[in-house]
Amino acid sequence: MIDYRARCHCGRVRFEVDAPARIEALDCNCSICRMTGFLHLIVPALRFRLLQGGEFLSEYAFNTGIARHRFCRVCGIKAFYMPRSNPDGIDVNLRCLDSLTVREVVVSPFDDAYREASTAAIAVSCA
């Protein structure tokens, strides 16, 4: 495991996440992920630490309201959120990690048109 540091664009929201040296990220084609350019790195909540900027976070929910999309209200960057597909985890935007610490990334597509099957495939690969 590597302790990655990350932040929003303006730097007011900063956090750390423990993840493998070889990061397996997901590229979801749903409307919000496609429009924001979010690349998903889902980790257990215990491997995520908000260091600063909680007071700058705003929240957005849509559709079922289960996923809690959090973004910096100053710069607008969604650096992480609480996903519907993995309610015990934190979904980190890979693009917010300090790029100098990232060694290897493998990006796989996540087809939101087949959400249940795609989510099941993640659960199997993480087991």
Side-chain angles (χ1 to χ4, degrees):
M1 289 291 170
I2 293 179
D3 179 22
Y4 294 98
R5 293 195 179 258
R7 64 182 186 89
C8 67
H9 190 262
C10 69
R12 286 178 174 85
V13 176
R14 294 180 182 270
F15 59 95
E16 293 177 335
V17 61
D18 298 325
R22 181 179 188 266
I23 295 174
E24 295 185 18
L26 297 171
D27 186 10
C28 177
N29 64 0
C30 78
S31 60
I32 194 166
C33 294
R34 193 176 63 246
M35 290 179 179
T36 61
F38 200 96
L39 277 181
H40 301 263
L41 168 60
I42 302 172
V43 298
L46 292 174
R47 293 189 358 215
F48 175 89
R49 294 169 301 285
L50 181 62
L51 301 176
Q52 72 179 46
E55 69 274 18
F56 294 106
L57 290 171
S58 289
E59 191 169 295
Y60 173 68
F62 67 101
N63 195 7
T64 64
I66 296 171
R68 294 180 9 230
H69 298 268
R70 308 201 60 203
F71 60 94
C72 174
R73 70 172 188 257
V74 176
C75 66
I77 297 299
K78 182 172 76 167
F80 64 92
Y81 77 103
M82 292 56 148
R84 178 175 83 174
S85 63
N86 191 334
D88 296 327
I90 303 290
D91 197 343
V92 173
N93 187 347
L94 180 66
R95 291 187 163 113
C96 291
L97 297 184
D98 177 357
S99 62
L100 297 176
T101 62
V102 177
R103 296 180 188 169
E104 182 182 1
V105 176
V106 176
V107 178
S108 300
F110 181 94
D111 191 351
D112 190 62
Y114 302 98
R115 173 169 286 281
E116 287 74 24
S118 296
T119 301
I122 294 170
V124 169
S125 68
C126 293

